[in-house]
Amino acid sequence: MTHGEHHDHHHHEHDHHHDNSYTDMQARVRALETLLTEKGLIDPAALDAIVETYETKVGPRNGARVVAKAWCEPDFAAWLRADATAAIASLGFTGRQGEHMRAVFNTPETHNIVVCTLCSCYPWAVLGLPPVWYKAPAYRAKAVIDPRGVLAEFGVTLAGDTRVRVWDSTAELRYLVVPQRPANTEDLNEGQLAKLVTRDSMIGTGLALAPEGAR
């Protein structure tokens, strides 16, 4: 770590059996996909488009609703801080790889970023499918060594005195970043606010979007 750099890395022992090998069902799905592709019955490009939709649109909408509710309701935000698993489950978002959650809140003083350094643990229940880059060794390594550099690659530049905290997801505990609420959104309702919350902002590699009139 270079002198004057402000970032913390919170590491936990990993249990890798969920992510480093296929389950029986995953292996069957992959084999079936390969067979159907070879027979010309499905188009890999179409599958990629479907996966992209669930990565960037359908899946992250759950997390966006959680964030927007926290922005609007102080009591829910407090519950999310104290027991994210229960608060998120109260909205109906729970399931495989999202059973135990912790929410970390961005502030002007602290920016949080999530990584899984040894595999690809990810909160599927609130963010859908993990993006390809999240699983890439380059991201997993650089997010710990040079989180500001990673943020810069995603177009995020923070103030020099902003502390960067790196959280290491595990099979036992997944993280949801609650980005800062954008300015000039006082008149927006919860549904409108949810549209400003991106997948990357809930991983920490992005910021919430500015409202239309403020861009």
Side-chain angles (χ1 to χ4, degrees), residues 57-109:
K57 297 176 182 178
V58 178
R61 290 304 90 203
N62 294 347
R65 285 182 56 194
V66 173
V67 171
K69 190 174 183 67
W71 284 347
C72 292
E73 300 181 18
D75 287 347
F76 182 79
W79 188 15
L80 193 61
R81 287 180 186 273
D83 188 350
T85 303
I88 292 170
S90 75
L91 299 180
F93 307 138
T94 186
R96 185 178 185 273
Q97 302 209 30
E99 293 88 349
H100 302 289
M101 295 289 301
R102 178 174 179 181
V104 290
F105 288 67
N106 285 351
T107 69
E109 295 77 27

Side-chain angles (χ1 to χ4, degrees), residues 14-172:
H14 281 57
D15 177 355
H16 301 284
H17 68 278
H18 287 301
D19 292 284
N20 276 2
S21 61
Y22 290 134
T23 64
D24 288 344
M25 181 60 71
Q26 288 171 326
R28 290 179 183 181
V29 169
R30 181 55 59 89
L32 181 60
E33 177 185 333
T34 300
L35 178 63
L36 292 175
T37 298
E38 290 176 348
K39 289 182 176 295
L41 298 176
I42 60 173
D43 180 0
L47 285 179
D48 290 344
I50 293 171
V51 169
E52 173 68 14
T53 296
Y54 275 86
E55 282 183 356
T56 62
K57 297 176 182 178
V58 178
R61 290 304 90 203
N62 294 347
R65 285 182 56 194
V66 173
V67 171
K69 190 174 183 67
W71 284 347
C72 292
E73 300 181 18
D75 287 347
F76 182 79
W79 188 15
L80 193 61
R81 287 180 186 273
D83 188 350
T85 303
I88 292 170
S90 75
L91 299 180
F93 307 138
T94 186
R96 185 178 185 273
Q97 302 209 30
E99 293 88 349
H100 302 289
M101 295 289 301
R102 178 174 179 181
V104 290
F105 288 67
N106 285 351
T107 69
E109 295 77 27
T110 303
H111 183 91
N112 299 283
I113 183 172
V114 180
V115 66
C116 181
T117 53
L118 297 179
C119 46
S120 57
C121 297
Y122 192 76
W124 294 7
V126 289
L127 292 186
L129 300 174
V132 173
W133 55 260
Y134 183 85
K135 298 178 284 186
Y139 172 77
R140 298 191 332 234
K142 191 172 181 179
V144 174
I145 300 169
D146 181 21
R148 288 180 183 275
V150 168
L151 291 173
E153 291 177 6
F154 281 89
V156 177
T157 302
L158 303 174
D161 59 353
T162 299
R163 180 187 187 191
V164 179
R165 302 187 73 175
V166 180
W167 301 90
D168 199 351
S169 280
T170 72
E172 291 77 31

